[in-house]
Amino acid sequence: PAQNSHLYKTLPPLFALTHSHTHLVLGFAVLIKEKSKRFNREREREREKMQTSVTAGAISTVLSNPSFDSSSDRPEIVVQVVDLKPIGNRYTFSANDGKTKLKAMFTASLTPEIISGKIQNLGLIRLIDFTVNDISSKATKYFLVTKCEAVGSVLDAEINLESKSDEEASVPKKQKLEHSPVTPVNDVKMDVSTGITLKPKQEFVSKSASQIMSEQRGNAAPAARMAMTRRVHPLVSLNPYQGNWTIKVRVTNKGVMRNYKNARGEGCVFNVELTDEEGTQIQATMFNDAARKFYDRFQLGKVYYISRGSLKLANKQFKTVQNDYEMTLNDNSEVEEASSEEMFIPETKFNFIPIEDLGLYVNQKELIDLIGVVQSVSPTMSIRRRTDNEMIPKRDITLADESKKTVVVSLWNDLATGIGQELLDMADKSPVIAIKSLKVGDFQGVSLSTISRSNVVINPVSPEAKKLKSWFDSEGKEISMSSIGSGMSPATKNGSRSMYTDRVLLSHITSNPSLGEEKPVFFSTRAYVSFIKPDQTMWYQACKTCNKKVTEALDSGYWCEGCQKKYEECSLRYIMAVKVTDSSGETWISSFNDEAEKILGCSADELNKLRSEEGEVNEYQTRLKEATWSSHVFRVSVTQNEYNGEKRQRVTVKGVAPVDFAAEARLLLQDISNKNKASQ
C-alpha cells in the first residue's frame, strides 16, 4: 500500500549485508542462547537447593526487624511445617527454620491445600505472603500465613541445625536408607547444608487426609475411627451455624432422668455437663427417645466422642455452666466412648463473684462461683428433708474475701462429711477454698448452698487464690469483717435483692451514657413515681400457661406459639413505662408484670376492667394518680439498646420494695460516718 511505501525503502541495506556480517549476527545469537541456558541451569540448581533445605536463621531475621514486610524484595523463606493441628476451620503449626521454631497459623483459604495433602506435617513450604502478629495474652509473636507453596517432600524428622554437625547429622540418615529395602542408595539425595537426607522429588506421592485416614482406620476401634474421620473441635469453637463437628469431652456431671408434663404433652428428659481438655463446659440435653438411648451410655467421669448434635442459645433460667450455647442430642446423634484413647482431666474454670456482690444473685436461677478464706467450720448436723423426711448431713462454713465481707456456705451430703471434715481439721490454718456452682438464697439476707454438681477445691493453685491468701496474711486476719446479710433490707427475706449495697442517685445513671455498653450493670435507687402515661400500651395478651404473647385465632380463642396450642382465654400482663424522680433528676424506666403490680397495686386484668368502665368518675385515671408520688426502692439494670442507628440507654426495673425507714436511717448514718472519717 502507498501509505507503507517508506518501509520498503529500508529493505535494500538489509539485503546488502555481507556473508561475514551474517556469521557475526548468528554468533551473537548462539552466545545469547548459551548464556540463557547457563542462567536457567543455575537458577534451577538454586531452586532445587531451596526445595531440599530450609532458610537457616530466617525467623530470627524477621523477628529482629519490626518493619519487615513479607511482600518486599528479599530472599525467599523456606521453613518446615511442624506440629500441624486443626483449630476450627484453620490449621496451626510451628514454623521451623532449623534453628528457631515459631507458632504460626494458616488462613482458612489454605485449608483445602492441607486437606488435599499438598501441605503436610514435616514438609517444606515457601512463605510467599505472611504477617507477624502478637499473641495478646503472651509476650510472643506468631506468623499468619496467607500465601505459600509446598517445595519439598515430607521429611522423616524435624530439621535441627544446631544439635549436630553436618557430618554427624548425615550419618544416621545414610545408615537408615542403606538398610532400607524400599529406596536404593543411588536414588538418595543428601543436602550437606542441613544434614537431612531426602527422597527424590519424583517419588513423592501426595495423599489426601481422607486417603491416609482410610488406610489407618482398618484396625482401629470405633471411637478411634471417629477421631480419624473427623477433626476434633474444641468446645469454644462451636456455634449454631456449624454443620459437621466432633468433640472429645468428659462427663463431669450427670443429671437424673426426669418425667415432665406440659401443654405439649408428656415425656422424659435428662442432661449432662460436658468438659473438654481446655476446661470449657457445655450442657447437653436429651428428650424422650434420645434420653432413653443415651442415659445408660453416659457414665460420670468417662470420655466420649460426640457428633451430629445441634446448638442453640442457652436459656439463662436453666443453664448450669458458663457457656452462651447449649447442646441438644437427638436419636440420630453419635456418642462413642473413647476407651482406648488417651484420657485427660479437664481443668476446672471458675468465674468468681466477690462476696459484696452476692446480693445481685439472691433467689436467682443463675449459679455462681466463689473463692474465700475459711473463717470457721461448724460440726456436722442432720436436717430432715421435707419431701421424703430423710435425714441428710449438713455443715456450715464461713468464708471471707478482700471486700471485707463474710458469707455462710452450707455443704450438703458427701461434701459435708468428706471435704467438710477435712476443712474442720485444718480450719486453724485459714485455707483458701474455691467452690463452683453455688445457689444463692435469702436466708439471713444472703446464704449459699452447694448442689449435686458443686465442686470444692482446697488451696487451689491460681492467681486469685495466691492474691487472696497474701491479702489475708498481711491485713485480713487483723481486721473485723461484717456479714453480707447485715446490710440487707428486711424485704430481702421476701425474695428481693439487696437495696443498700450499691445505692446511687438517678443522676449517676443519666449522666453516664456509656453505662451498660459491654454488659448490664445493676444499681439500687430510691425514687418517686412522678408520671404514668395513661394512653400507652400498658399490657399484652399472654398465655396463662407459659406467659408468652398470644395472638387471636381465626375462629375464636387465642393461639400460643410457645405451647403450640389454642386456648379459649388469655391473661393480661404489664409492660409499661414509668417516669421516676429523685432529688438529682428524673428518668424513664421499663417495668414488667410483677414489678408493675407492686407499683400500681392491682393486676393488669383489674386495671383493664377499670379502663373499660364508664361513669362520671374515671376509675382508671384515679388509680394511676394514686400510684404517682409514692416512694419505692428500685433495683434496676442499665443496658444499651440501638434504635434507628442510635444507641440509647435502657433502664429496667428488676425489683421493687417499699421503703424501710429504719434501714434508710442506718444508711444515712453510715454515709455521715464515712464522710466524717474522710474529712479527718
Side-chain angles (χ1 to χ4, degrees):
Q3 61 267 29
N4 294 329
S5 60
H6 65 284
L7 298 175
Y8 296 100
K9 295 178 182 179
T10 63
L11 292 176
L14 292 174
F15 287 109
L17 291 173
T18 64
H19 182 71
S20 60
H21 289 153
T22 304
H23 278 283
L24 183 62
V25 171
L26 291 174
F28 274 117
V30 171
L31 181 61
I32 292 172
K33 187 175 181 181
E34 288 296 325
K35 285 190 174 183
S36 176
K37 287 182 178 179
R38 191 181 310 158
F39 174 78
N40 287 336
R41 284 196 298 270
E42 291 176 355
R43 186 176 180 183
E44 188 64 29
R45 282 197 298 270
E46 182 67 25
R47 178 171 291 275
E48 180 147 343
K49 180 182 178 182
M50 292 195 69
Q51 290 179 347
T52 58
S53 65
V54 293
T55 308
I59 294 176
S60 299
T61 303
V62 172
L63 296 180
S64 62
N65 185 2
S67 60
F68 186 88
D69 184 3
S70 68
S71 62
S72 62
D73 186 16
R74 52 161 178 74
E76 293 175 318
I77 295 177
V78 176
V79 296
Q80 184 185 30
V81 176
V82 179
D83 297 329
L84 184 64
K85 296 178 182 178
I87 299 293
N89 63 341
R90 299 185 180 189
Y91 281 78
T92 62
F93 69 102
S94 293
N96 177 27
D97 67 0
K99 295 184 177 181
T100 307
K101 286 202 296 185
L102 186 71
K103 291 289 185 182
M105 175 180 286
F106 291 113
T107 58
S109 60
L110 293 173
T111 299
E113 300 287 312
I114 300 169
I115 295 176
S116 65
K118 291 182 179 179
I119 300 174
Q120 296 191 46
N121 193 42
L122 298 181
L124 303 181
I125 60 171
R126 179 182 292 110
L127 302 182
I128 299 175
D129 191 15
F130 63 93
T131 57
V132 182
N133 295 342
D134 293 316
I135 298 177
S136 58
S137 60
K138 302 178 181 178
T140 56
K141 298 180 181 294
Y142 72 97
F143 284 167
L144 180 63
V145 181
T146 54
K147 189 176 181 181
C148 69
E149 62 177 349
V151 294
S153 58
V154 177
L155 306 184
D156 293 328
E158 292 183 22
I159 298 175
N160 189 345
L161 302 181
E162 294 185 339
S163 63
K164 300 179 181 179
S165 65
D166 294 343
E167 294 181 0
E168 291 173 341
S170 62
V171 171
K173 290 293 179 181
K174 280 186 178 180
Q175 292 175 348
K176 180 177 180 180
L177 290 171
E178 284 171 356
H179 291 83
S180 172
V182 179
T183 307
V185 178
N186 295 334
D187 292 336
V188 177
K189 294 182 179 180
M190 174 68 66
D191 189 342
V192 179
S193 63
T194 63
I196 298 298
T197 306
L198 304 175
K199 297 178 183 178
K201 190 171 183 179
Q202 62 268 22
E203 292 188 6
F204 170 66
V205 179
S206 175
K207 293 184 180 181
S208 68
S210 60
Q211 288 175 323
I212 296 172
M213 290 176 180
S214 179
E215 293 174 1
Q216 296 176 348
R217 278 193 322 192
N219 299 323
R225 288 201 298 271
M226 182 182 287
M228 292 178 183
T229 52
R230 296 181 183 177
R231 294 200 313 271
V232 174
H233 289 68
L235 287 178
V236 72
S237 71
L238 299 186
N239 63 69
Y241 310 105
Q242 280 179 279
N244 235 357
W245 48 257
T246 298
I247 58 174
K248 182 181 179 182
V249 289
R250 181 182 290 273
V251 178
T252 50
N253 187 69
K254 179 182 176 181
V256 298
M257 183 78 77
R258 295 180 289 109
N259 296 318
Y260 66 87
K261 183 178 181 181
N262 55 26
R264 300 182 184 181
E266 300 180 4
C268 59
V269 60
F270 94 100
N271 55 59
V272 291
E273 290 177 11
L274 308 173
T275 308
D276 66 7
E277 56 187 338
E278 295 179 357
T280 307
Q281 291 186 298
I282 195 168
Q283 178 176 293
T285 304
M286 288 138 280
F287 294 91
N288 302 323
D289 291 342
R292 288 184 283 268
K293 177 180 178 180
F294 295 124
Y295 184 77
D296 292 329
R297 188 173 303 178
F298 278 120
Q299 298 296 321
L300 189 64
K302 290 188 176 181
V303 178
Y304 298 87
Y305 286 105
I306 302 176
S307 62
R308 302 185 69 179
S310 60
L311 273 78
K312 64 178 182 179
L313 285 173
N315 187 333
K316 293 183 179 180
Q317 291 184 341
F318 303 108
K319 75 174 187 176
T320 60
V321 297
Q322 295 295 326
N323 199 315
D324 293 333
Y325 303 115
E326 61 182 353
M327 184 182 298
T328 302
L329 301 180
N330 56 41
D331 196 30
N332 296 321
S333 299
E334 296 181 2
V335 177
E336 292 201 33
E337 184 181 348
S339 55
S340 60
E341 295 291 310
E342 180 183 353
M343 298 295 103
F344 64 89
I345 300 176
E347 176 189 355
T348 302
K349 289 189 175 181
F350 293 92
N351 183 24
F352 296 122
I353 303 297
I355 292 178
E356 64 179 353
D357 293 340
L358 291 177
L360 305 176
Y361 301 89
V362 172
N363 290 333
Q364 302 301 306
K365 292 186 176 180
E366 185 177 356
L367 302 176
I368 64 100
D369 303 337
L370 186 74
I371 187 170
V373 180
V374 176
Q375 298 285 282
S376 63
V377 182
S378 75
T380 303
M381 59 193 82
S382 296
I383 304 296
R384 187 178 299 277
R385 189 158 50 193
R386 295 179 182 177
T387 54
D388 54 8
N389 286 327
E390 183 182 351
M391 300 298 291
I392 55 176
K394 174 193 173 186
R395 189 191 300 267
D396 289 337
I397 60 174
T398 303
L399 301 181
D401 67 4
E402 292 173 286
S403 63
K404 301 176 184 178
K405 298 287 185 180
T406 63
V407 68
V408 175
V409 180
S410 297
L411 305 179
W412 296 89
N413 297 313
D414 293 340
L415 289 178
T417 56
I419 288 182
Q421 183 61 44
E422 188 177 347
L423 289 173
L424 181 63
D425 296 338
M426 58 190 305
D428 57 331
K429 299 179 182 178
S430 300
V432 174
I433 67 168
I435 310 179
K436 187 168 187 63
S437 300
L438 286 169
K439 185 177 180 180
V440 187
D442 58 11
F443 180 70
Q444 293 181 347
V446 174
S447 61
L448 302 176
S449 294
T450 60
I451 57 176
S452 59
R453 65 176 66 94
S454 297
N455 184 23
V456 181
V457 181
I458 301 176
N459 290 325
V461 181
S462 67
E464 295 91 347
K466 184 177 180 182
K467 180 182 176 183
L468 183 59
K469 185 63 175 175
S470 176
W471 165 81
F472 184 79
D473 291 340
S474 60
E475 59 175 298
K477 60 184 177 182
E478 303 295 337
I479 62 177
S480 61
M481 303 185 195
S482 60
S483 171
I484 180 63
S486 62
M488 297 294 179
S489 163
T492 305
K493 297 180 181 180
N494 296 326
S496 61
R497 295 183 178 186
S498 167
M499 300 296 182
Y500 297 95
T501 54
D502 48 0
R503 176 72 68 85
V504 298
L505 295 172
L506 291 178
S507 59
H508 177 79
I509 300 174
T510 57
S511 62
N512 291 279
S514 62
L515 282 176
E517 277 189 348
E518 296 182 357
K519 61 179 182 180
V521 291
F522 297 87
F523 300 104
S524 296
T525 186
R526 178 186 172 187
Y528 291 86
V529 176
S530 57
F531 182 62
I532 303 174
K533 196 174 181 181
D535 57 348
Q536 66 175 303
T537 303
M538 298 184 66
W539 48 69
Y540 67 94
Q541 294 176 328
C543 173
K544 289 187 174 182
T545 302
C546 66
N547 294 331
K548 292 185 177 180
K549 187 177 181 179
V550 297
T551 56
E552 294 185 5
L554 294 177
D555 47 2
S556 63
Y558 304 90
W559 173 257
C560 175
E561 191 67 28
C563 298
Q564 291 290 303
K565 192 174 180 180
K566 178 184 172 184
Y567 295 95
E568 293 300 322
E569 296 180 350
C570 69
S571 61
L572 300 180
R573 292 180 65 83
Y574 284 117
I575 176 172
M576 68 176 188
V578 177
K579 181 185 282 188
V580 294
T581 306
D582 68 1
S583 59
S584 67
E586 61 182 15
T587 189
W588 286 93
I589 61 176
S590 299
S591 179
F592 294 96
N593 191 70
D594 295 345
E595 292 75 26
E597 285 184 354
K598 294 178 182 179
I599 295 172
L600 294 173
C602 65
S603 66
D605 289 309
E606 293 170 347
L607 192 62
N608 183 46
K609 290 180 181 179
L610 296 178
R611 193 175 192 175
S612 60
E613 289 179 357
E614 296 181 359
E616 296 181 2
V617 179
N618 191 328
E619 295 293 338
Y620 171 72
Q621 294 278 6
T622 302
R623 180 57 63 93
L624 295 185
K625 287 181 180 180
E626 288 176 352
T628 57
W629 299 113
S630 57
S631 179
H632 302 274
V633 179
F634 298 96
R635 185 73 189 172
V636 298
S637 68
V638 184
T639 57
Q640 294 284 338
N641 285 352
E642 191 167 329
Y643 182 74
N644 289 337
E646 179 184 355
K647 283 189 175 181
R648 293 185 177 182
Q649 199 175 62
R650 180 181 175 89
V651 184
T652 306
V653 181
K654 296 296 183 180
V656 180
V659 177
D660 183 344
F661 292 100
E664 291 290 328
R666 286 194 296 270
L667 182 65
L668 292 174
L669 288 172
Q670 185 178 356
D671 287 342
I672 294 172
S673 176
N674 292 339
K675 289 179 180 178
N676 288 337
K677 289 180 181 179
S679 62
Q680 291 176 357

